[in-house]
Amino acid sequence: EFCAKGGIDAAAFQSKLSEQLATYPEAALRVQFNLLGSHDTARLLTVAGNDARRARLAMTFLFAWPGAPVIYYGDEVGLDGGKDPACRKTFPWDPKKQDAATLAHVRALGKLRSAERTLRRGTTRFLLAQGKASVFVREAERGEPGRPVLCVLNAADSSTTLRIPLSGLSGVPHRLLGEGRVSIEGTELLVELAPYEGTFVGLGGPAGTK
């Protein structure tokens, strides 16, 4: 509803996510089978109104959230389709029929998830819910390696520069996805985002890979 459809705002989005975090024990959260589409549902791209930007935004969230991110075959190349059986199309092996931008995005997300230990094992804390902008941070548990990584989501149809309260976080910001500007002014992190764009921002030193 938040990323793909735009049916709810960031406050409602984070409320639902907070409910999930409070419902399941930590051990269960870390091994959740998280997916955005399956053989029983309409394709992600179709749910997103055939807007690949919205579909990629949802995938960005998926790779930042606790649990195992799961991609239903074909979603990584922009395969569309309604409910069963339309969601079970054969895979488009011809590269000319694939969405190269979405494929590159999913590959980048996979590499980041592998490189940033906190995206796999860190705790989760919300930093901002403002209109259609949602920000949360994955942080290493005490004594564990890994730098803080923020997931910044803009589900609006316009560009924005978010001012995110650092709330105890520190370190030099590094944008890990996309090309918009990131900087720190006082106690706020500034992040530029295009319409329906999401990104990761790492704070401090290199990624923890243990």
Side-chain angles (χ1 to χ4, degrees):
E1 285 296 327
F2 179 70
C3 294
K5 293 183 178 181
I8 58 175
D9 63 11
F13 177 59
Q14 291 187 6
S15 176
K16 289 292 186 182
L17 295 177
S18 296
E19 182 180 333
Q20 184 186 76
L21 292 176
T23 299
Y24 296 98
E26 183 69 20
L29 286 169
R30 290 189 175 186
V31 295
Q32 287 182 123
F33 190 81
N34 293 338
L35 69 171
L36 298 168
S38 76
H39 62 281
D40 289 323
T41 68
R43 286 276 177 180
L44 173 61
L45 182 61
T46 299
V47 171
N50 290 313
D51 190 329
R53 298 171 302 171
R54 284 186 175 275
R56 290 193 288 267
L57 180 67
M59 290 177 179
T60 301
F61 163 75
L62 178 69
F63 277 77
W65 195 244
V70 179
I71 299 292
Y72 182 45
Y73 83 92
D75 284 353
E76 76 277 21
V77 294
L79 190 61
D80 63 357
K83 294 182 179 180
D84 190 11
C87 58
R88 303 186 188 222
K89 292 180 181 179
T90 55
F91 188 87
W93 293 108
D94 184 351
K96 295 179 181 179
K97 297 181 180 180
Q98 299 175 2
D99 182 346
T102 295
L103 180 58
H105 184 72
V106 174
R107 284 174 169 167
L109 290 173
K111 289 179 180 179
L112 283 172
R113 175 92 179 193
S114 177
E116 300 288 345
R117 190 178 193 276
T118 48
L119 290 179
R120 304 190 308 272
R121 300 187 58 83
T123 59
T124 306
R125 179 162 60 100
F126 294 105
L127 298 179
L128 179 72
Q130 179 180 299
K132 290 299 182 74
S134 173
V135 183
F136 60 89
V137 61
R138 302 295 307 279
E139 299 174 277
E141 295 184 281
R142 183 175 298 178
E144 295 291 325
R147 61 181 171 181
V149 177
L150 283 71
C151 177
V152 187
L153 306 171
N154 176 31
D157 61 359
S158 58
S159 300
T160 186
T161 297
L162 295 179
R163 304 185 71 94
I164 304 163
L166 287 170
S167 302
L169 298 170
S170 62
V172 178
H174 300 277
R175 181 161 181 152
L176 307 178
L177 193 66
E179 299 179 350
R181 182 175 65 93
V182 296
S183 61
I184 289 180
E185 289 187 7
T187 60
E188 295 180 319
L189 174 70
L190 276 62
V191 181
E192 289 183 349
L193 291 169
Y196 306 128
E197 184 183 19
T199 191
F200 295 151
V201 178
L203 293 176
T209 57
K210 294 182 180 179

